[in-house]
Amino acid sequence: MTISSLDSATVTLQQLIDANKSQQHKLAEQLTAMIAASIQEASNQVGSDQAQSIAHIPFQQFRLDSRQLEANDVFVLLKSQTANSKKSRDYLLQAAEQAAFILSEIDPVVLLSGANNPSNTTNELQTDSITSMQQLAALPCLVLYVPNIRDFLGSLIQARLQYQQPVTLPTVVAVTGTNGKTTISQLVAQLTQLMGLSSAVMGTAGNGRLGALVQASHTTGDALAVQQFLYQMGTEKAEILALEASSHGLDQQRLQGMPVTVAIYTNLSRDHLDYHADMAEYAAAKAKLFDKAHFPDLTHAIINIDDEHAQVMLDMANASGLTVWTYSLDSSKAATFVAADITPSLQGVQINLRIEFGNERTGNMEIVSPLLGRFNVANLLAAIAAVVALDVDLAMNIERIAPAVAQLQGAVGRMQRVPSNDGCFIVDYAHTPDALSQVLASLKTHCKGQLWAVFGCGGDRDAGKRPLMAQAGLAGADQVILTADNPRTEDPNVILQDMQAGMTAEQYQRTHIEPARQTAIEYAVSHSGVDDIVVIAGKGHETYQEINNVRYDFDDSVVLQQALNQAGRV
């Protein structure tokens, strides 16, 4: 039975309560408490007898988007990140025409009243409140105010999916951090598959089984999309799901109810400060992944102790009583997984991997990885640690990993080499100052000639990052080309001006400004030498350029390949 076939079947909240009474996630208790707390407010709408019957109202599916609502679905109204009360009110009124009932994270009395207008007097507010209660009572379906709905929404959606046809859900490995999430999740899926387990991935590069990914609009989808995908992978017999846990997704509890067993932390650098107030808040959002109160299935935390924010994650993991393993590229550190020696080449890296569990040294092993870049060594250590954590037979698992590593492939748009007769041309997703610095530092040691960096900054995002990106490029590359990267509704020239803030005369001499991204790539191809390395950074796997709310076809790897063809370099 697929997800779509469940749409025609009905269930009640009481049936979900009865089916989940023995579950550890305590969904039955939460639903019972929700219904009990709603009796009084519901009686104000339709009378106490009817109010109590919400537990027995048959419904089909949960919906978070009023546009997707069908008759007898339950609409879940969540707070908008932009706090647009008018839109939320419109969604509520639209959904009430079809929904079996509505669960609202927003107080419907406040939503329907003029209480959002601070200029109203006390008498006006009281009058508005009475009027809104009358409006609420007149709606064709019951609206329940559930301010803590996110605490169990994922579990509730999964319980609904499981009701008609229970499936075994895959074990989940979740990766959080500013950089490395996509690569690590892909490597975990590849390694487990190479070792005989059926695996899937969910994140920036797409969702699905390896080799058949479907592009997603968000790194971490909403609670409904996440739970439906988890269920779908269960129906397809996937045993392991490696997913990216974004700070937005964790902060908004979109991953609530996911059976995360192994949690990985990569690093934290400046990003998403248009959403988070500061780096401390950003780190706190990431740390939620290591909180067993949020993810009760957690057993292992795998943490990069080379990162300055690692202690925040370590504190949370230790407070949750998890088995904590660490990884490091510093041979002097006492981490669980250490790259004691790294020998790079343009074909990849040779790594001397030291593994220690407590005071017991498991030993060293030589691993040859086809992945370019020092930071990809860190990504590989995290992936190896996760795979080891999934198997109780540590020794056997470790022995099987080394030959599997040699067969790995990098994620699309992550240090992706585009074929050429001479020179070296790389497409990478690096779109933060730290990520760009790491990419350039990793490639500099391989470069016999000059290192080129082509990149820009996105529009309608953290403007403070723009000069930092330019300085990161200038510090790591010999030649820099500044260009557009998803300008969205901003003028690309304004973004480029922001990026140039603080540049010196010497830096200007080795900087070329070209707003048209295709022209910028063609310039790099035509001016770089046979011993040079060119990095096209910022977009990676993306296949579009967003300008004035329109997404135009644009794939860096395709445009680069065409430029190489035109220049006769392939």
Side-chain angles (χ1 to χ4, degrees), residues 91 117 136 184 191 243 258 278 287 384 475 493 548:
Y91 297 151
N117 187 349
L136 198 58
I184 292 173
L191 282 172
L243 63 82
M258 291 294 281
D278 50 36
I384 289 174
N493 290 296
N548 291 324

Side-chain angles (χ1 to χ4, degrees), residues 344-348 372-373 415 417 422-426 439-453 476-479 528-535 569:
S345 72
L346 278 181
Q347 284 67 50
L372 293 174
M415 291 292 275
R417 188 168 183 176
D422 58 65
C424 178
F425 296 87
I426 303 289
V439 166
L440 296 175
S442 292
L443 293 174
K444 190 69 173 176
T445 57
H446 303 290
C447 194
K448 295 180 181 178
Q450 290 193 315
L451 179 59
W452 294 66
D478 302 298
Q479 299 292 329
S528 59
V530 296
D531 292 325
D532 294 353
I533 297 178
V534 176
V535 181
R569 301 189 69 169

